[in-house]
Amino acid sequence: MIYIFFSCRLSSDLYTIDDSLPFIMNILLANFVGLLGIAIILSYVQVFFLLFLLPFWYIYSKLQFFYRSTSRELRRLDSVSRSPIYTSFSETLDGTSTIRAFKSEGFFFAKFVEHITLYQKTSYTETVASLWLSLRLQVGPCIKYVL
């Protein structure tokens, strides 16, 4: 029972490391080089830009800290709500004969559905927060043209 939980947990972590991390690092490197190039060109063309760079960096770091802490908490809630699903499923598989003997299928199914519902709520919240950030980053540059 514990082996199944840890193998599922480890496979999720390994997927994140093997698949997602190189992709995210590639995006980080490309954005950093692009931002550095823009900053160098703006500093060369408009020296006055350097005065605005520090306040913008401070505001951005505060917003980034707020988003990171929220995102970290949502991921933690997602992981915590996923754990009872694995546990309930493995317990049900281990005790299938006992559950059938006591005719408690409905109880265990209702408990499993309750765990799934809780997981979907936290997963939905995390997805909405990620979509909001994505939309905000894409629409942000367009707002100055509307106003």
Short mmCIF file of all heavy atoms in Angstrom, two decimals, residues 21-77:
data_model
loop_
_atom_site.label_atom_id
_atom_site.label_comp_id
_atom_site.label_asym_id
_atom_site.label_seq_id
_atom_site.Cartn_x
_atom_site.Cartn_y
_atom_site.Cartn_z
N LEU A 21 10.99 20.59 -16.36
CA LEU A 21 12.10 21.45 -15.96
C LEU A 21 12.96 21.92 -17.14
O LEU A 21 13.25 23.12 -17.22
CB LEU A 21 12.95 20.74 -14.90
CG LEU A 21 13.92 21.61 -14.14
CD1 LEU A 21 13.19 22.73 -13.42
CD2 LEU A 21 14.70 20.78 -13.15
N PRO A 22 13.37 21.06 -18.06
CA PRO A 22 14.15 21.57 -19.19
C PRO A 22 13.37 22.57 -20.05
O PRO A 22 13.93 23.56 -20.52
CB PRO A 22 14.49 20.32 -20.01
CG PRO A 22 14.40 19.20 -19.05
CD PRO A 22 13.33 19.60 -18.07
N PHE A 23 12.08 22.33 -20.22
CA PHE A 23 11.25 23.25 -20.99
C PHE A 23 11.17 24.62 -20.30
O PHE A 23 11.31 25.66 -20.94
CB PHE A 23 9.86 22.65 -21.15
CG PHE A 23 8.91 23.49 -21.94
CD1 PHE A 23 9.08 23.68 -23.30
CD2 PHE A 23 7.84 24.10 -21.32
CE1 PHE A 23 8.20 24.46 -24.02
CE2 PHE A 23 6.96 24.88 -22.03
CZ PHE A 23 7.14 25.07 -23.38
N ILE A 24 10.98 24.62 -19.00
CA ILE A 24 10.89 25.86 -18.24
C ILE A 24 12.24 26.59 -18.24
O ILE A 24 12.30 27.82 -18.36
CB ILE A 24 10.40 25.58 -16.81
CG1 ILE A 24 8.94 25.13 -16.86
CG2 ILE A 24 10.56 26.79 -15.92
CD1 ILE A 24 8.41 24.60 -15.54
N MET A 25 13.32 25.85 -18.12
CA MET A 25 14.65 26.48 -18.15
C MET A 25 14.94 27.10 -19.51
O MET A 25 15.56 28.16 -19.60
CB MET A 25 15.73 25.45 -17.79
CG MET A 25 15.72 25.04 -16.34
SD MET A 25 15.98 26.40 -15.21
CE MET A 25 17.70 26.75 -15.52
N ASN A 26 14.48 26.46 -20.59
CA ASN A 26 14.66 27.01 -21.92
C ASN A 26 13.91 28.33 -22.06
O ASN A 26 14.44 29.30 -22.60
CB ASN A 26 14.18 25.99 -22.96
CG ASN A 26 14.48 26.43 -24.37
OD1 ASN A 26 15.32 27.29 -24.60
ND2 ASN A 26 13.79 25.82 -25.32
N ILE A 27 12.68 28.37 -21.56
CA ILE A 27 11.89 29.60 -21.62
C ILE A 27 12.55 30.69 -20.78
O ILE A 27 12.63 31.85 -21.19
CB ILE A 27 10.44 29.33 -21.16
CG1 ILE A 27 9.72 28.47 -22.18
CG2 ILE A 27 9.69 30.63 -20.93
CD1 ILE A 27 8.36 28.01 -21.74
N LEU A 28 13.03 30.33 -19.58
CA LEU A 28 13.70 31.29 -18.71
C LEU A 28 14.92 31.89 -19.38
O LEU A 28 15.13 33.11 -19.37
CB LEU A 28 14.08 30.62 -17.39
CG LEU A 28 14.90 31.48 -16.43
CD1 LEU A 28 14.01 32.55 -15.81
CD2 LEU A 28 15.52 30.63 -15.36
N LEU A 29 15.74 31.05 -19.98
CA LEU A 29 16.95 31.52 -20.63
C LEU A 29 16.63 32.44 -21.81
O LEU A 29 17.24 33.50 -21.97
CB LEU A 29 17.80 30.33 -21.09
CG LEU A 29 19.15 30.67 -21.70
CD1 LEU A 29 20.04 31.36 -20.67
CD2 LEU A 29 19.83 29.42 -22.20
N ALA A 30 15.64 32.06 -22.63
CA ALA A 30 15.26 32.88 -23.78
C ALA A 30 14.71 34.23 -23.33
O ALA A 30 15.06 35.28 -23.91
CB ALA A 30 14.23 32.14 -24.63
N ASN A 31 13.86 34.23 -22.31
CA ASN A 31 13.31 35.50 -21.82
C ASN A 31 14.39 36.37 -21.19
O ASN A 31 14.38 37.60 -21.35
CB ASN A 31 12.19 35.25 -20.81
CG ASN A 31 10.93 34.77 -21.49
OD1 ASN A 31 10.71 35.02 -22.67
ND2 ASN A 31 10.10 34.09 -20.74
N PHE A 32 15.31 35.76 -20.46
CA PHE A 32 16.38 36.53 -19.83
C PHE A 32 17.29 37.19 -20.87
O PHE A 32 17.63 38.37 -20.75
CB PHE A 32 17.21 35.64 -18.90
CG PHE A 32 18.34 36.35 -18.24
CD1 PHE A 32 18.09 37.25 -17.21
CD2 PHE A 32 19.64 36.13 -18.66
CE1 PHE A 32 19.14 37.93 -16.61
CE2 PHE A 32 20.69 36.80 -18.06
CZ PHE A 32 20.45 37.70 -17.04
N VAL A 33 17.66 36.45 -21.90
CA VAL A 33 18.53 37.01 -22.94
C VAL A 33 17.79 38.11 -23.70
O VAL A 33 18.37 39.17 -24.00
CB VAL A 33 19.01 35.89 -23.89
CG1 VAL A 33 19.68 36.46 -25.13
CG2 VAL A 33 19.95 34.95 -23.17
N GLY A 34 16.51 37.90 -23.98
CA GLY A 34 15.73 38.94 -24.65
C GLY A 34 15.60 40.19 -23.81
O GLY A 34 15.76 41.32 -24.30
N LEU A 35 15.32 40.02 -22.53
CA LEU A 35 15.21 41.17 -21.63
C LEU A 35 16.54 41.89 -21.47
O LEU A 35 16.59 43.13 -21.46
CB LEU A 35 14.71 40.69 -20.27
CG LEU A 35 14.48 41.76 -19.21
CD1 LEU A 35 13.36 42.70 -19.65
CD2 LEU A 35 14.15 41.12 -17.88
N LEU A 36 17.61 41.15 -21.37
CA LEU A 36 18.93 41.76 -21.26
C LEU A 36 19.27 42.56 -22.52
O LEU A 36 19.79 43.69 -22.43
CB LEU A 36 19.99 40.68 -21.00
CG LEU A 36 21.40 41.17 -20.73
CD1 LEU A 36 21.43 41.95 -19.42
CD2 LEU A 36 22.35 39.98 -20.66
N GLY A 37 18.97 42.02 -23.67
CA GLY A 37 19.22 42.74 -24.92
C GLY A 37 18.40 44.02 -25.02
O GLY A 37 18.92 45.08 -25.42
N ILE A 38 17.14 43.95 -24.64
CA ILE A 38 16.29 45.14 -24.66
C ILE A 38 16.81 46.20 -23.68
O ILE A 38 16.87 47.39 -24.00
CB ILE A 38 14.83 44.76 -24.33
CG1 ILE A 38 14.23 43.97 -25.48
CG2 ILE A 38 13.99 45.99 -24.04
CD1 ILE A 38 12.88 43.36 -25.16
N ALA A 39 17.22 45.76 -22.49
CA ALA A 39 17.74 46.71 -21.49
C ALA A 39 19.03 47.37 -21.97
O ALA A 39 19.22 48.58 -21.77
CB ALA A 39 17.97 45.99 -20.17
N ILE A 40 19.89 46.63 -22.63
CA ILE A 40 21.15 47.20 -23.13
C ILE A 40 20.88 48.22 -24.23
O ILE A 40 21.44 49.32 -24.23
CB ILE A 40 22.10 46.07 -23.61
CG1 ILE A 40 22.62 45.28 -22.41
CG2 ILE A 40 23.26 46.64 -24.41
CD1 ILE A 40 23.40 44.05 -22.78
N ILE A 41 19.99 47.87 -25.15
CA ILE A 41 19.68 48.78 -26.25
C ILE A 41 18.99 50.04 -25.73
O ILE A 41 19.33 51.16 -26.13
CB ILE A 41 18.83 48.06 -27.31
CG1 ILE A 41 19.68 47.03 -28.03
CG2 ILE A 41 18.25 49.06 -28.31
CD1 ILE A 41 18.93 46.14 -28.97
N LEU A 42 18.04 49.88 -24.81
CA LEU A 42 17.37 51.06 -24.25
C LEU A 42 18.32 51.93 -23.45
O LEU A 42 18.21 53.16 -23.47
CB LEU A 42 16.19 50.63 -23.38
CG LEU A 42 14.92 50.23 -24.11
CD1 LEU A 42 13.88 49.71 -23.13
CD2 LEU A 42 14.36 51.40 -24.88
N SER A 43 19.23 51.32 -22.74
CA SER A 43 20.20 52.09 -21.97
C SER A 43 21.15 52.87 -22.88
O SER A 43 21.56 53.99 -22.56
CB SER A 43 21.02 51.18 -21.07
OG SER A 43 20.18 50.52 -20.17
N TYR A 44 21.47 52.29 -24.01
CA TYR A 44 22.36 52.96 -24.96
C TYR A 44 21.65 54.12 -25.65
O TYR A 44 22.20 55.20 -25.82
CB TYR A 44 22.87 51.96 -25.98
CG TYR A 44 23.78 52.55 -27.03
CD1 TYR A 44 25.08 52.93 -26.69
CD2 TYR A 44 23.35 52.74 -28.33
CE1 TYR A 44 25.92 53.48 -27.64
CE2 TYR A 44 24.18 53.29 -29.28
CZ TYR A 44 25.46 53.66 -28.93
OH TYR A 44 26.28 54.21 -29.87
N VAL A 45 20.40 53.88 -26.06
CA VAL A 45 19.65 54.90 -26.80
C VAL A 45 19.12 55.98 -25.87
O VAL A 45 19.20 57.16 -26.16
CB VAL A 45 18.48 54.23 -27.58
CG1 VAL A 45 17.58 55.27 -28.21
CG2 VAL A 45 19.03 53.30 -28.64
N GLN A 46 18.58 55.57 -24.74
CA GLN A 46 17.94 56.51 -23.82
C GLN A 46 18.52 56.30 -22.43
O GLN A 46 18.11 55.40 -21.71
CB GLN A 46 16.42 56.26 -23.83
CG GLN A 46 15.62 57.23 -23.06
CD GLN A 46 15.47 58.56 -23.78
OE1 GLN A 46 16.17 58.86 -24.71
NE2 GLN A 46 14.54 59.36 -23.31
N VAL A 47 19.45 57.11 -22.02
CA VAL A 47 20.11 56.97 -20.73
C VAL A 47 19.11 57.22 -19.60
O VAL A 47 19.23 56.65 -18.51
CB VAL A 47 21.32 57.93 -20.63
CG1 VAL A 47 22.01 57.81 -19.29
CG2 VAL A 47 22.29 57.67 -21.76
N PHE A 48 18.10 58.02 -19.85
CA PHE A 48 17.07 58.32 -18.86
C PHE A 48 16.32 57.06 -18.43
O PHE A 48 15.77 56.99 -17.34
CB PHE A 48 16.09 59.35 -19.46
CG PHE A 48 15.18 59.97 -18.45
CD1 PHE A 48 15.68 60.74 -17.41
CD2 PHE A 48 13.82 59.79 -18.54
CE1 PHE A 48 14.84 61.32 -16.49
CE2 PHE A 48 12.97 60.36 -17.62
CZ PHE A 48 13.48 61.13 -16.60
N PHE A 49 16.34 56.04 -19.28
CA PHE A 49 15.69 54.76 -18.98
C PHE A 49 16.27 54.11 -17.73
O PHE A 49 15.55 53.44 -16.99
CB PHE A 49 15.82 53.83 -20.19
CG PHE A 49 15.45 52.41 -19.91
CD1 PHE A 49 14.13 52.03 -19.75
CD2 PHE A 49 16.43 51.43 -19.78
CE1 PHE A 49 13.79 50.72 -19.48
CE2 PHE A 49 16.10 50.12 -19.52
CZ PHE A 49 14.77 49.76 -19.37
N LEU A 50 17.54 54.30 -17.49
CA LEU A 50 18.19 53.68 -16.33
C LEU A 50 17.59 54.15 -15.01
O LEU A 50 17.59 53.42 -14.03
CB LEU A 50 19.69 53.94 -16.36
CG LEU A 50 20.46 53.25 -17.48
CD1 LEU A 50 21.91 53.71 -17.49
CD2 LEU A 50 20.37 51.75 -17.35
N LEU A 51 17.07 55.39 -14.97
CA LEU A 51 16.44 55.90 -13.75
C LEU A 51 15.13 55.17 -13.44
O LEU A 51 14.76 55.02 -12.27
CB LEU A 51 16.19 57.40 -13.87
CG LEU A 51 17.43 58.28 -13.99
CD1 LEU A 51 17.03 59.72 -14.23
CD2 LEU A 51 18.28 58.16 -12.75
N PHE A 52 14.43 54.75 -14.48
CA PHE A 52 13.16 54.05 -14.28
C PHE A 52 13.34 52.55 -14.05
O PHE A 52 12.41 51.88 -13.59
CB PHE A 52 12.23 54.25 -15.48
CG PHE A 52 11.73 55.64 -15.60
CD1 PHE A 52 12.08 56.42 -16.68
CD2 PHE A 52 10.88 56.17 -14.64
CE1 PHE A 52 11.61 57.71 -16.80
CE2 PHE A 52 10.42 57.46 -14.74
CZ PHE A 52 10.78 58.24 -15.83
N LEU A 53 14.48 52.04 -14.36
CA LEU A 53 14.71 50.61 -14.26
C LEU A 53 14.62 50.10 -12.83
O LEU A 53 14.00 49.06 -12.57
CB LEU A 53 16.08 50.26 -14.86
CG LEU A 53 16.37 48.79 -15.11
CD1 LEU A 53 15.34 48.22 -16.08
CD2 LEU A 53 17.75 48.61 -15.67
N LEU A 54 15.18 50.80 -11.89
CA LEU A 54 15.18 50.37 -10.50
C LEU A 54 13.77 50.32 -9.89
O LEU A 54 13.40 49.31 -9.29
CB LEU A 54 16.12 51.23 -9.66
CG LEU A 54 16.40 50.74 -8.25
CD1 LEU A 54 17.06 49.37 -8.30
CD2 LEU A 54 17.26 51.73 -7.52
N PRO A 55 12.94 51.37 -10.04
CA PRO A 55 11.57 51.27 -9.48
C PRO A 55 10.74 50.16 -10.14
O PRO A 55 9.98 49.47 -9.47
CB PRO A 55 10.95 52.64 -9.76
CG PRO A 55 12.08 53.55 -9.99
CD PRO A 55 13.21 52.72 -10.51
N PHE A 56 10.90 50.00 -11.46
CA PHE A 56 10.16 48.94 -12.13
C PHE A 56 10.61 47.57 -11.64
O PHE A 56 9.80 46.65 -11.49
CB PHE A 56 10.31 49.02 -13.65
CG PHE A 56 9.50 50.11 -14.27
CD1 PHE A 56 10.01 50.84 -15.31
CD2 PHE A 56 8.23 50.40 -13.82
CE1 PHE A 56 9.27 51.85 -15.89
CE2 PHE A 56 7.48 51.40 -14.38
CZ PHE A 56 8.00 52.14 -15.43
N TRP A 57 11.89 47.39 -11.42
CA TRP A 57 12.41 46.13 -10.91
C TRP A 57 11.85 45.84 -9.53
O TRP A 57 11.47 44.71 -9.22
CB TRP A 57 13.93 46.16 -10.88
CG TRP A 57 14.52 44.94 -10.26
CD1 TRP A 57 14.62 43.71 -10.84
CD2 TRP A 57 15.04 44.82 -8.95
NE1 TRP A 57 15.20 42.82 -9.94
CE2 TRP A 57 15.45 43.49 -8.77
CE3 TRP A 57 15.20 45.70 -7.89
CZ2 TRP A 57 16.01 43.02 -7.60
CZ3 TRP A 57 15.76 45.24 -6.72
CH2 TRP A 57 16.16 43.91 -6.59
N TYR A 58 11.75 46.87 -8.69
CA TYR A 58 11.21 46.70 -7.33
C TYR A 58 9.73 46.29 -7.38
O TYR A 58 9.32 45.35 -6.70
CB TYR A 58 11.38 48.00 -6.54
CG TYR A 58 10.81 47.92 -5.15
CD1 TYR A 58 11.46 47.23 -4.15
CD2 TYR A 58 9.59 48.53 -4.85
CE1 TYR A 58 10.94 47.14 -2.87
CE2 TYR A 58 9.06 48.46 -3.57
CZ TYR A 58 9.73 47.76 -2.59
OH TYR A 58 9.18 47.67 -1.34
N ILE A 59 8.95 46.96 -8.20
CA ILE A 59 7.52 46.63 -8.33
C ILE A 59 7.35 45.21 -8.87
O ILE A 59 6.53 44.44 -8.36
CB ILE A 59 6.81 47.66 -9.23
CG1 ILE A 59 6.77 49.03 -8.53
CG2 ILE A 59 5.40 47.20 -9.59
CD1 ILE A 59 6.33 50.15 -9.44
N TYR A 60 8.12 44.87 -9.87
CA TYR A 60 8.03 43.53 -10.45
C TYR A 60 8.40 42.46 -9.44
O TYR A 60 7.75 41.41 -9.36
CB TYR A 60 8.94 43.43 -11.68
CG TYR A 60 8.94 42.06 -12.30
CD1 TYR A 60 7.87 41.62 -13.06
CD2 TYR A 60 10.00 41.18 -12.10
CE1 TYR A 60 7.85 40.36 -13.61
CE2 TYR A 60 10.00 39.91 -12.65
CZ TYR A 60 8.92 39.52 -13.40
OH TYR A 60 8.91 38.27 -13.94
N SER A 61 9.44 42.71 -8.64
CA SER A 61 9.83 41.70 -7.66
C SER A 61 8.76 41.51 -6.59
O SER A 61 8.54 40.40 -6.12
CB SER A 61 11.17 42.06 -7.02
OG SER A 61 11.06 43.24 -6.26
N LYS A 62 8.08 42.59 -6.19
CA LYS A 62 6.99 42.46 -5.22
C LYS A 62 5.82 41.68 -5.81
O LYS A 62 5.25 40.81 -5.15
CB LYS A 62 6.49 43.85 -4.75
CG LYS A 62 7.47 44.56 -3.88
CD LYS A 62 7.66 43.79 -2.59
CE LYS A 62 8.60 44.51 -1.66
NZ LYS A 62 8.89 43.78 -0.46
N LEU A 63 5.45 41.95 -7.05
CA LEU A 63 4.38 41.19 -7.70
C LEU A 63 4.76 39.73 -7.89
O LEU A 63 3.95 38.83 -7.71
CB LEU A 63 4.03 41.82 -9.05
CG LEU A 63 3.29 43.15 -9.00
CD1 LEU A 63 3.15 43.73 -10.40
CD2 LEU A 63 1.93 42.98 -8.35
N GLN A 64 6.01 39.50 -8.24
CA GLN A 64 6.48 38.13 -8.43
C GLN A 64 6.44 37.37 -7.11
O GLN A 64 6.06 36.20 -7.08
CB GLN A 64 7.89 38.14 -8.99
CG GLN A 64 8.46 36.78 -9.23
CD GLN A 64 9.89 36.83 -9.69
OE1 GLN A 64 10.59 37.83 -9.51
NE2 GLN A 64 10.35 35.75 -10.29
N PHE A 65 6.83 38.01 -6.02
CA PHE A 65 6.79 37.36 -4.71
C PHE A 65 5.36 36.99 -4.34
O PHE A 65 5.09 35.89 -3.85
CB PHE A 65 7.38 38.29 -3.64
CG PHE A 65 7.30 37.72 -2.26
CD1 PHE A 65 8.18 36.73 -1.85
CD2 PHE A 65 6.34 38.17 -1.36
CE1 PHE A 65 8.10 36.19 -0.58
CE2 PHE A 65 6.26 37.64 -0.09
CZ PHE A 65 7.14 36.65 0.31
N PHE A 66 4.41 37.88 -4.61
CA PHE A 66 3.00 37.60 -4.32
C PHE A 66 2.49 36.42 -5.15
O PHE A 66 1.85 35.51 -4.63
CB PHE A 66 2.14 38.84 -4.59
CG PHE A 66 0.68 38.61 -4.40
CD1 PHE A 66 0.14 38.47 -3.14
CD2 PHE A 66 -0.17 38.54 -5.49
CE1 PHE A 66 -1.21 38.25 -2.95
CE2 PHE A 66 -1.51 38.31 -5.32
CZ PHE A 66 -2.04 38.18 -4.05
N TYR A 67 2.80 36.42 -6.45
CA TYR A 67 2.34 35.33 -7.30
C TYR A 67 3.00 34.01 -6.91
O TYR A 67 2.34 32.97 -6.87
CB TYR A 67 2.62 35.62 -8.78
CG TYR A 67 2.26 34.44 -9.64
CD1 TYR A 67 0.94 34.12 -9.90
CD2 TYR A 67 3.25 33.59 -10.14
CE1 TYR A 67 0.61 33.02 -10.67
CE2 TYR A 67 2.93 32.48 -10.89
CZ TYR A 67 1.61 32.21 -11.15
OH TYR A 67 1.29 31.10 -11.89
N ARG A 68 4.29 34.03 -6.63
CA ARG A 68 4.99 32.80 -6.27
C ARG A 68 4.43 32.16 -5.00
O ARG A 68 4.23 30.96 -4.95
CB ARG A 68 6.48 33.07 -6.03
CG ARG A 68 7.31 32.95 -7.23
CD ARG A 68 8.74 33.03 -6.78
NE ARG A 68 9.63 33.00 -7.90
CZ ARG A 68 10.93 33.15 -7.77
NH1 ARG A 68 11.44 33.35 -6.58
NH2 ARG A 68 11.70 33.11 -8.81
N SER A 69 4.18 32.98 -3.98
CA SER A 69 3.65 32.42 -2.73
C SER A 69 2.24 31.85 -2.95
O SER A 69 1.92 30.78 -2.43
CB SER A 69 3.65 33.47 -1.63
OG SER A 69 2.84 34.57 -1.99
N THR A 70 1.43 32.53 -3.75
CA THR A 70 0.09 32.01 -4.05
C THR A 70 0.18 30.73 -4.85
O THR A 70 -0.53 29.75 -4.56
CB THR A 70 -0.72 33.07 -4.82
OG1 THR A 70 -0.74 34.28 -4.08
CG2 THR A 70 -2.13 32.61 -5.07
N SER A 71 1.02 30.71 -5.85
CA SER A 71 1.17 29.52 -6.69
C SER A 71 1.71 28.34 -5.88
O SER A 71 1.24 27.21 -6.04
CB SER A 71 2.11 29.82 -7.85
OG SER A 71 2.32 28.68 -8.63
N ARG A 72 2.67 28.60 -5.02
CA ARG A 72 3.23 27.53 -4.18
C ARG A 72 2.16 26.94 -3.27
O ARG A 72 2.06 25.72 -3.11
CB ARG A 72 4.38 28.09 -3.35
CG ARG A 72 5.12 27.05 -2.55
CD ARG A 72 6.24 27.64 -1.71
NE ARG A 72 6.99 28.69 -2.34
CZ ARG A 72 7.02 29.95 -1.91
NH1 ARG A 72 6.35 30.31 -0.84
NH2 ARG A 72 7.74 30.86 -2.54
N GLU A 73 1.33 27.80 -2.68
CA GLU A 73 0.27 27.33 -1.79
C GLU A 73 -0.78 26.53 -2.57
O GLU A 73 -1.26 25.50 -2.09
CB GLU A 73 -0.38 28.52 -1.08
CG GLU A 73 -1.31 28.15 0.02
CD GLU A 73 -0.62 27.49 1.20
OE1 GLU A 73 0.59 27.68 1.39
OE2 GLU A 73 -1.31 26.77 1.94
N LEU A 74 -1.11 26.98 -3.77
CA LEU A 74 -2.08 26.24 -4.58
C LEU A 74 -1.53 24.87 -4.99
O LEU A 74 -2.26 23.88 -4.99
CB LEU A 74 -2.48 27.04 -5.81
CG LEU A 74 -3.40 28.22 -5.55
CD1 LEU A 74 -3.57 29.05 -6.82
CD2 LEU A 74 -4.74 27.75 -5.04
N ARG A 75 -0.27 24.80 -5.31
CA ARG A 75 0.33 23.50 -5.65
C ARG A 75 0.37 22.58 -4.44
O ARG A 75 0.18 21.38 -4.55
CB ARG A 75 1.73 23.68 -6.22
CG ARG A 75 1.70 24.20 -7.62
CD ARG A 75 3.09 24.32 -8.17
NE ARG A 75 3.05 24.96 -9.46
CZ ARG A 75 3.39 24.36 -10.59
NH1 ARG A 75 3.80 23.12 -10.56
NH2 ARG A 75 3.33 25.01 -11.72
N ARG A 76 0.64 23.14 -3.28
CA ARG A 76 0.63 22.33 -2.05
C ARG A 76 -0.77 21.80 -1.78
O ARG A 76 -0.93 20.61 -1.48
CB ARG A 76 1.10 23.17 -0.86
CG ARG A 76 1.28 22.36 0.40
CD ARG A 76 1.50 23.24 1.61
NE ARG A 76 0.35 24.03 1.94
CZ ARG A 76 -0.74 23.57 2.57
NH1 ARG A 76 -0.82 22.31 2.91
NH2 ARG A 76 -1.75 24.36 2.84
N LEU A 77 -1.78 22.65 -1.93
CA LEU A 77 -3.16 22.18 -1.74
C LEU A 77 -3.53 21.12 -2.75
O LEU A 77 -4.23 20.15 -2.43
CB LEU A 77 -4.13 23.36 -1.84
CG LEU A 77 -4.15 24.32 -0.66
CD1 LEU A 77 -5.03 25.53 -0.98
CD2 LEU A 77 -4.65 23.62 0.59
#
